[in-house]
């Protein structure tokens, strides 16, 4: 009996702390009456994209990707987690083919595109203890990257209106005459001209007049070295 008492009260402070922690866990985390489900959107962070490639799928994915996450757990813990503004991390440098899901089609010499089919899971998040994933939508994110092509493309202008009577347009100059464009190879390769946002209005124009006009990119994925030209 004495031995039992000694064993019972040995390190009693630690045992008391362990008992309190167990009770708190049971009441605060594991108690099914205290668990809720919550759905919200999280941004997807893509890391280690090849420097010579650009994201072309999903459409407008370059501006940001999001997934709908549903989790379950203690209400206070979930609310605190949401305040941390977590995100889904996808590191392209760590992807491999596994299982039935083709996570990456590695770029080979001479290949101009990269296709990725990525399956999200707990590894992509920093979830607190006691919080479980119910669902992630989409569960599998399809991504497509293309090589970036850069080239010089001439500027094309159009006119509208009419010159005053007995006047004719004998010539004009554009500065710069061409701009450097860069973007997905499939879009830039076939690009032969860059147009202005508006036409040059000849009504009332006279010799020496200058027009400062904005250039129009044919796609939000195509970047221009200049955003305007001077027509004279």
């Amino acid at each position: 009996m004495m031995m039992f008492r000694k064993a019972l009260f040995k390190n009693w402070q630690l045992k008391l702390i362990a008992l309190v922690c167990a009770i708190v866990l049971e009441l605060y985390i594991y108690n099914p009456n205290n668990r809720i489900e919550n759905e919200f959107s999280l941004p997807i962070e893509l890391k280690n994209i090849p420097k010579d490639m650009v994201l072309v799928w999903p459409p407008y994915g370059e501006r940001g990707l999001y997934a709908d996450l549903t989790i379950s757990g203690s209400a206070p813990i979930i609310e605190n987690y949401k305040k941390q503004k977590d995100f889904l991390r996808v590191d392209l440098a760590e992807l491999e083919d596994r299982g039935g899901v083709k996570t990456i089609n590695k770029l080979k010499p001479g290949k101009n595109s990269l296709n990725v089919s990525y399956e999200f899971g707990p590894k992509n998040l920093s979830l607190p203890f006691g919080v479980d994933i119910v669902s992630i939508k989409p569960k599998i994110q399809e991504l497509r990257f293309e090589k970036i092509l850069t080239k010089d493309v001439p500027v094309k202008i159009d006119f509208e209106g009419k010159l005053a009577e007995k006047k004719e347009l004998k010539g004009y100059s554009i500065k710069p005459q061409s701009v450097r464009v860069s973007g997905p190879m499939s879009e830039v390769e076939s690009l032969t001209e860059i147009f202005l946002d508006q036409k040059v209005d000849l009504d009332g124009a006279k010799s020496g007049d200058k027009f400062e006009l904005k250039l129009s990119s044919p796609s939000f994925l195509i970047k221009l070295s200049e955003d305007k030209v001077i027509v004279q």
Side-chain angles (χ1 to χ4, degrees):
M1 190 70 175
M2 287 293 295
M3 292 182 63
F4 175 75
R5 279 189 175 183
K6 286 183 178 180
L8 180 64
F9 289 101
K10 185 179 181 180
N11 296 325
W12 66 270
Q13 296 98 333
L14 295 177
K15 291 177 180 177
L16 180 61
I17 293 173
L19 177 61
V20 171
C21 289
I23 293 173
V24 170
L25 287 173
E26 180 64 29
L27 295 176
Y28 189 64
I29 295 179
Y30 296 120
N31 187 346
N33 295 325
N34 194 37
R35 293 179 71 85
I36 64 168
E37 285 192 6
N38 197 292
E39 180 180 355
F40 52 97
S41 292
L42 279 184
I44 300 171
E45 181 191 55
L46 301 178
K47 298 178 64 178
N48 293 312
I49 299 174
K51 292 181 179 179
D52 62 343
M53 306 201 85
V54 63
L55 180 66
V56 296
W57 183 268
Y60 301 100
E62 190 73 9
R63 295 178 178 175
L65 294 171
Y66 292 86
D68 293 326
L69 173 67
T70 302
I71 54 177
S72 68
S74 167
I77 293 179
I78 287 180
E79 289 305 314
N80 185 59
Y81 169 70
K82 289 171 66 176
K83 292 177 183 177
Q84 296 175 11
K85 297 182 178 180
D86 197 9
F87 47 84
L88 288 158
R89 303 164 190 83
V90 178
D91 191 342
L92 297 182
E94 298 177 354
L95 299 184
E96 296 177 354
D97 292 344
R98 67 175 185 273
V101 179
K102 190 176 186 183
T103 56
I104 191 166
N105 177 18
K106 292 184 178 179
L107 188 65
K108 298 178 181 178
K111 197 167 184 179
N112 299 320
S113 63
L114 181 67
N115 297 314
V116 176
S117 184
Y118 192 85
E119 184 174 9
F120 293 121
K123 64 186 180 301
N124 304 111
L125 296 163
S126 298
L127 290 175
F129 178 72
V131 174
D132 301 315
I133 295 175
V134 177
S135 67
I136 303 177
K137 299 177 183 178
K139 176 67 172 176
I140 297 177
Q141 178 67 66
E142 302 290 342
L143 304 169
R144 179 178 174 83
F145 302 86
E146 279 192 21
K147 270 196 171 180
I148 296 173
L149 176 64
T150 300
K151 70 177 186 180
D152 291 331
V153 178
V155 175
K156 171 71 173 178
I157 65 174
D158 289 321
F159 296 96
E160 65 180 0
K162 293 182 179 181
L163 290 171
E165 193 175 344
K166 296 182 180 180
K167 287 187 177 182
E168 61 180 31
L169 181 63
K170 293 184 177 180
Y172 59 89
S173 65
I174 311 172
K175 293 182 182 179
Q177 293 183 340
S178 63
V179 294
R180 180 150 293 188
V181 303
S182 63
M185 180 173 284
S186 62
E187 295 187 27
V188 174
E189 204 166 28
S190 59
L191 196 60
T192 58
E193 296 173 322
I194 293 292
F195 288 86
L196 301 175
D197 269 349
Q198 61 189 93
K199 297 179 180 180
V200 177
D201 189 0
L202 296 179
D203 284 338
K206 55 185 181 296
S207 180
D209 281 353
K210 290 183 179 181
F211 301 86
E212 185 177 279
L213 302 169
K214 289 185 177 181
L215 290 167
S216 177
S217 175
S219 164
F220 79 95
L221 288 173
I222 294 179
K223 313 300 181 187
L224 308 180
S225 62
E226 306 286 341
D227 63 354
K228 60 187 175 183
V229 297
I230 303 295
V231 180
Q232 183 175 6

